[in-house]
C-alpha cells in the first residue's frame, strides 16, 4: 500500500458502453459490484499518492477499459485490457455453470460437488489470467482478481 492513501476501490461504475440487460442480469451485476467494493485491494502501478479509488469500466470492441480516478474525481490512469485471453475461460465457465445449475435440480450430491469443484477451478483460472493481464498496470490481490473476474463474466452474461 502506498503511504499517501488506501489501496482500494470505493466505487465501480459501468459505462453506458456496457449496455443494460434483463433485471436478473442487472441484479447479478449489482451484486458483483457490491462484493468487489466490500473487499478489495486495488492500486494502479506507479501511483504514489494513493486512493481510495473509483473505477469506471467500459467496453470498446473486445477490450475492457479500466479508468481509475481518486475519490475527488482526479484521473489516475486508464488501462485497456484485451478480453481475448479470457474468452475461452469465460465460455468454459458459463458452460460449467449451466451444468452446475442443471445438476442442482436432479443430480446426486457427489456429482454436484464434482461439478462445483470444476466450476471453482475455472473461476480461479480466469482470476489468475486476469491478475496476470493486469500485472504492471494495476496491483490486485487474488480475492480482488476473483471478484473482478466475476464482474467480467456478468458483463458477458446474456441470460
Amino acid at each position: 500500500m502506498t503511504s499517501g492513501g488506501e489501496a482500494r476501490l470505493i466505487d465501480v461504475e459501468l459505462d453506458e458502453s456496457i449496455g443494460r440487460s434483463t433485471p436478473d442480469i442487472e441484479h447479478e451485476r449489482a451484486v458483483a459490484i457490491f462484493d468487489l467494493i466490500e473487499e478489495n485491494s486495488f492500486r494502479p502501478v506507479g501511483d504514489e499518492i494513493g486512493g481510495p479509488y473509483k473505477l469506471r469500466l467500459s467496453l470498446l470492441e473486445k477490450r475492457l477499459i479500466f479508468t481509475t480516478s481518486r475519490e475527488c474525481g482526479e484521473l489516475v490512469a486508464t488501462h485497456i485490457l484485451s478480453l481475448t485471453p479470457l474468452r475461452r475461460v469465460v465460455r468454459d465457465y458459463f458452460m460449467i455453470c449451466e451444468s452446475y445449475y442443471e445438476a442442482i435440480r436432479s443430480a446426486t450430491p457427489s456429482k454436484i460437488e464434482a461439478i462445483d469443484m470444476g466450476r471453482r477451478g475455472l473461476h480461479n483460472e480466469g482470476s489468475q489470467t486476469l491478475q496476470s493481464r493486469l500485472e504492471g498496470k494495476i496491483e490486485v490481490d487474488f480475492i480482488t482478481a476473483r471478484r473482478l473476474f466475476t464482474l467480467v463474466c456478468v458483463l458477458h452474461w446474456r441470460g
Side-chain angles (χ1 to χ4, degrees), residues 36-157:
L36 179 58
I37 292 169
E38 190 71 16
E39 182 181 352
N40 69 80
S41 174
F42 183 99
R43 186 182 72 80
V45 172
D47 179 36
E48 298 302 322
I49 297 171
Y53 301 102
K54 294 180 176 184
L55 177 64
R56 181 179 175 115
L57 294 174
S58 51
L59 287 172
L60 180 63
E61 297 171 3
K62 293 181 182 173
R63 291 176 177 79
L64 186 60
I65 301 168
F66 288 73
T67 304
T68 307
S69 61
R70 297 191 205 295
E71 190 172 16
C72 66
E74 174 191 358
L75 180 65
V76 175
T78 299
H79 297 290
I80 301 171
L81 190 71
S82 173
L83 290 171
T84 301
L86 291 167
R87 189 175 0 189
R88 180 201 55 82
V89 71
V90 169
R91 183 190 65 233
D92 291 351
Y93 182 70
F94 282 151
M95 287 183 359
I96 202 161
C97 282
E98 286 178 22
S99 297
Y100 175 75
Y101 295 126
E102 190 174 298
I104 286 174
R105 290 190 291 267
S106 62
T108 64
S110 60
K111 181 166 181 150
I112 294 168
E113 186 176 332
I115 293 170
D116 191 43
M117 285 178 57
R119 183 173 66 94
R120 285 193 308 261
L122 273 173
H123 198 282
N124 287 343
E125 180 184 340
S127 303
Q128 290 167 339
T129 300
L130 184 57
Q131 192 172 26
S132 70
R133 300 284 301 141
L134 290 172
E135 195 172 316
K137 298 173 180 75
I138 301 170
E139 293 176 2
V140 296
D141 63 4
F142 188 67
I143 291 170
T144 303
R146 281 185 60 83
R147 291 170 182 224
L148 279 169
F149 180 72
T150 299
L151 184 54
V152 167
C153 287
V154 175
L155 293 178
H156 285 86
W157 188 27

